[in-house]
Amino acid sequence: TELAELTIVKETIGGDGSFDFTSTTLAPAAFTITTTSGTGSEVFADLLPGTYDVAETIPSGWDLTSASCSDGSPITAIGLSAGESVTCTFTDTELYTISGAVSIYDYDLETFVGFEGVTITYGTGLTETTDENGEYNFIIDHGWNGTITPSMTGYIFKPINSVVGPVESNLTQDFTAYIELIDVSIDG
């Protein structure tokens, strides 16, 4: 019987790392691929024709962007015919955190303090709200581009917003809130 070959390719966007895989049909049943310059691989040669599977354990700080095989097989049922060579590619994107704080001047304490309840809008309508310390954070993909905008009725912010990207590391963006002054005229 002519044997087959299965190559597992690991590609990364945003960095390198070591990625764990498991299989109920390959030997060894657990293996690790370490990427260098965004790629790495493991070759399983001399396989009997049949159906094989591979699963990745997604490490913290990464998101599985895609997983596909060159012959169209799902990664859970990779069909290998005699003499066939199939490549399955798993692509992960590194995740980053954008965090910061919103502060407001407290005239009683004569210092800036965290401002709770401010809405932070990012991307296309995604929001987070500052906590009791005025802090916020959200997770984005490597290469994200967008605008971060604080808002709360009755207040203005400096900066008004922050345009960031493409993001290639964790990022901190702080804002300061000021009471919005309204012109009032009194007749009489």
Side-chain angles (χ1 to χ4, degrees):
T1 300
E2 193 174 358
L3 300 176
E5 181 177 277
L6 176 60
T7 302
I8 306 302
V9 174
K10 176 77 223 162
E11 293 182 348
T12 57
I13 300 170
D16 288 312
S18 292
F19 300 87
D20 294 329
F21 291 84
T22 58
S23 174
T24 60
T25 55
L26 294 169
F31 58 97
T32 299
I33 297 176
T34 300
T35 60
T36 303
S37 299
T39 191
S41 65
E42 181 79 22
V43 177
F44 295 89
D46 301 326
L47 296 174
L48 291 172
T51 302
Y52 295 86
D53 66 73
V54 177
E56 179 183 7
T57 303
I58 311 301
S60 176
W62 293 88
D63 182 41
L64 177 63
T65 309
S66 67
S68 62
C69 296
S70 60
D71 69 346
S73 293
I75 59 171
T76 55
I78 307 160
L80 292 178
S81 301
E84 186 177 22
S85 179
V86 173
T87 299
C88 295
T89 303
F90 291 75
T91 303
D92 286 7
T93 300
E94 191 167 16
L95 301 175
Y96 297 113
T97 300
I98 294 180
S99 61
V102 178
S103 59
I104 189 165
Y105 192 77
D106 184 321
Y107 288 95
D108 292 333
L109 297 175
E110 297 182 355
T111 190
F112 283 92
V113 296
F115 195 23
E116 181 178 6
V118 176
T119 300
I120 305 294
T121 303
Y122 63 100
T124 315
L126 301 171
T127 61
E128 293 292 330
T129 303
T130 57
D131 65 15
E132 65 276 359
N133 298 312
E135 297 173 350
Y136 72 92
N137 71 72
F138 52 90
I139 296 172
I140 46 91
D141 286 340
H142 175 272
W144 183 82
N145 290 286
T147 302
I148 306 166
T149 306
S151 63
M152 179 181 260
T153 303
Y155 296 87
I156 60 172
F157 297 86
K158 293 203 178 175
I160 294 170
N161 61 39
S162 178
V163 178
V164 298
V167 176
E168 296 182 355
S169 63
N170 292 333
L171 178 69
T172 300
Q173 176 61 61
D174 294 334
F175 298 95
T176 304
Y178 299 90
I179 295 173
E180 185 174 23
L181 300 176
I182 300 172
D183 290 332
V184 177
S185 63
I186 301 174
D187 292 333

